[in-house]
Amino acid sequence: MTGDTANQELENLLGLAPVIPVLVVDQAEIARPLAEALVSGGLPVLEVTLRTPAAFEAIAAMAGVPGAVVGAGTLLNPHDIAAAQAAGARFGVSPGATPSLLKATREAEFPLLPGMATASEAMTLMEMGHRVLKFFPATAAGGVDMLKALAGPLPGLRFCPTGGIGHDTARDYLAQPNVLCVGGSWLAPRDRIAARDWDAIRTLAEEAARLAR
């Protein structure tokens, strides 16, 4: 997979919905009904963060849900990439980018949404062939104003802002021409997951899917 191919694959995936749910799954048995609720609500692209022992099993379960496109988040090293691919992840997401991580994703032909927070980091990734980036942590790193500032000197880049974004602020990000989608954790509140309230999560997904692009 060439850099252009990986970029196009990411653009295609991230264009499927305005919001990517960023999920922390503590128990593998809730992965499938959680994914079903989100997908049926109009959000097919799901990011499962590798922050719990259940993460890889959750990716595998969600990958079996019709219509779901599952990515692995919080990739930190080459081992994470191999395990995510084996579990059925279609793409990866990282909070930042290191030479070893970028090299491993290229060798594995695994589309990666690498994280950046500054203009220099964005330029470095662009120089390495990446044009679709995760802007993280979005709110702490300047939010919408930062994206507006980057649009002039770096017009060829597209972003998925993540970090501190909620339903009330997502629309402002999505209004920026260099934003493909946003990532957010508000779609799967821990109390609703604990209550197995999949209808409530489906409603949150439906509301997010209606956000203006």
Side-chain angles (χ1 to χ4, degrees):
M1 180 180 292
T2 66
D4 286 342
T5 302
N7 284 315
Q8 189 59 58
E9 176 74 3
L10 282 171
E11 287 201 41
N12 292 342
L13 293 178
L14 301 186
L16 292 174
V19 181
I20 296 178
V22 179
L23 307 171
V24 180
V25 182
D26 295 305
Q27 299 172 296
E29 59 266 25
I30 63 94
R32 187 177 182 92
L34 174 58
E36 289 172 341
L38 292 166
V39 172
S40 66
L43 302 181
V45 186
L46 313 173
E47 177 188 338
V48 179
T49 61
L50 304 186
R51 301 179 189 177
T52 72
F56 292 116
E57 192 174 349
I59 289 171
M62 289 184 174
V65 172
V69 178
V70 186
T74 326
L75 295 179
L76 301 178
N77 54 61
H79 170 75
D80 290 342
I81 295 164
Q85 278 191 301
R90 295 266 303 274
F91 67 99
V93 185
S94 60
T98 65
S100 62
L101 185 69
L102 297 174
K103 180 175 182 289
T105 55
R106 287 195 302 272
E107 291 176 347
E109 297 188 341
F110 190 55
L112 175 70
L113 182 66
M116 51 67 59
T118 68
S120 292
E121 291 171 357
M123 290 171 64
T124 299
L125 288 165
M126 184 171 63
E127 190 174 84
M128 299 181 72
H130 295 270
R131 68 168 187 262
V132 184
L133 311 177
K134 173 183 176 178
F135 175 41
F136 176 82
T139 300
V144 170
D145 288 341
M146 178 64 164
L147 289 164
K148 289 179 178 178
L150 292 173
L154 302 174
L157 296 180
R158 296 293 178 268
F159 299 94
C160 174
T162 305
I165 299 174
H167 186 272
D168 293 341
T169 58
R171 194 181 302 275
D172 293 335
Y173 283 93
L174 291 167
Q176 305 311 308
N178 57 353
V179 169
L180 285 168
C181 63
V182 301
S185 58
W186 82 89
L187 286 310
R190 285 187 174 275
D191 61 338
R192 294 301 87 205
I193 291 177
R196 305 300 195 261
D197 191 349
W198 310 125
D199 287 339
I201 290 175
R202 183 180 299 106
T203 297
L204 289 172
E206 290 170 347
E207 293 171 351
R210 289 194 294 267
L211 287 168
R213 297 303 304 273

